[in-house]
Amino acid sequence: MHSDSDNTATASPRTSVLIERRTAALTRFDDTTPDIYRPTIEIPTAVKEWIAGWGGRSLFLTGPIGVGKTHTAWKTCRRWLEAQYAPGMPWNGTPVIKAYRSTALFDALRPDAPDGEGRSLVKHLQNVDLLFIDDLAAARASAWTQERLFEIFDERYIRRRPVLITCDVLPNALSEITGPRVASRLAEMCGPSIVLLDGPDRRQAAA
């Protein structure tokens, strides 16, 4: 098996630079991945197909509690990041992935956040290359937060920037949490790529 250093030694100057940047980007991503989600796992075929040809589509991972949605999502983000450096992909700079638990995101979007921080966060999340929101149904959003979520999702919807959502309910059941406008956009953005993960609760099995 060839390492990246082997590939760099025999590659063109441009390819060598891309290999080095890919290695650096994956290392940074691995450093930010929570320890519990670092072990390798197999991801579903439907997820691999989304990575290979997402084309601006978004991905919605759903299923009962404890079936591995979050672990799958972290590994999906890494595989997506790696795929951005594949031969033939247009180079638009190092892709930016932002991951948030819904509870932490909703807290950061609160109206009493320090001056300018909430607005800056909304702008940032509108523009990152891939936005991953974990356990979207776990939090309860205020009317203010729903408005900020609409700003984020509407811009990503218009610009065809993908989101990756994990949730234990389907998009059409999210209206009370995200507001109906966000739920509607999510249903369209993720409609072709809603992946059901099933099985026993892994946490209880481990216990």
Side-chain angles (χ1 to χ4, degrees):
M1 180 176 181
H2 296 292
S3 66
D4 278 347
S5 59
D6 294 333
N7 292 333
T8 302
T10 60
S12 68
R14 181 181 184 279
T15 302
S16 296
V17 170
L18 289 178
I19 291 172
E20 291 172 359
R21 289 178 175 173
R22 179 187 66 187
T23 301
L26 291 173
T27 298
R28 285 194 299 271
F29 182 81
D30 290 341
D31 288 344
T32 64
T33 301
D35 290 349
I36 196 172
Y37 302 127
R38 293 186 183 185
T40 300
I41 59 169
E42 182 63 23
I43 60 176
T45 298
V47 174
K48 294 177 183 176
E49 291 172 350
W50 177 82
I51 294 168
W54 63 275
R57 291 186 293 113
S58 296
L59 179 65
F60 196 98
L61 301 179
T62 189
I65 293 171
V67 296
K69 297 185 295 295
T70 302
H71 198 158
T72 300
W74 276 102
K75 290 304 177 187
T76 299
C77 286
R78 192 186 193 282
R79 293 277 291 271
W80 180 90
L81 177 60
E82 189 173 14
Q84 304 314 298
Y85 293 87
M89 288 290 289
W91 175 246
N92 298 310
T94 300
V96 177
I97 299 173
K98 186 64 180 178
Y100 258 106
R101 291 191 188 92
S102 63
T103 47
L105 175 60
F106 290 9
D107 186 55
L109 293 174
R110 69 190 189 280
D112 59 344
D115 289 347
E117 286 189 12
R119 174 55 53 192
S120 176
L121 178 60
V122 167
K123 189 69 174 177
H124 178 60
L125 298 185
Q126 286 175 331
N127 291 296
V128 295
D129 296 288
L130 177 61
L131 174 60
F132 163 32
I133 301 178
D134 185 37
D135 209 358
L136 186 54
R140 292 295 177 266
S142 65
W144 171 275
T145 302
Q146 288 183 350
E147 290 176 5
R148 304 293 78 74
L149 288 174
F150 175 74
E151 290 183 68
I152 293 167
F153 279 96
D154 188 55
E155 182 68 13
R156 298 191 70 83
Y157 170 78
I158 292 169
R159 302 295 180 186
R160 291 177 60 81
R161 294 178 181 137
V163 297
L164 195 171
I165 303 293
T166 68
C167 193
D168 54 9
V169 301
L170 293 172
N172 59 12
L174 284 171
S175 290
E176 291 186 7
I177 298 163
T178 65
R181 293 179 298 174
V182 171
S184 174
R185 282 158 178 76
L186 268 177
E188 182 175 337
M189 294 165 74
C190 302
S193 301
I194 296 176
V195 179
L196 173 65
L197 303 181
D198 207 353
D201 186 327
R202 299 180 184 182
R203 300 184 191 97
Q204 291 190 4

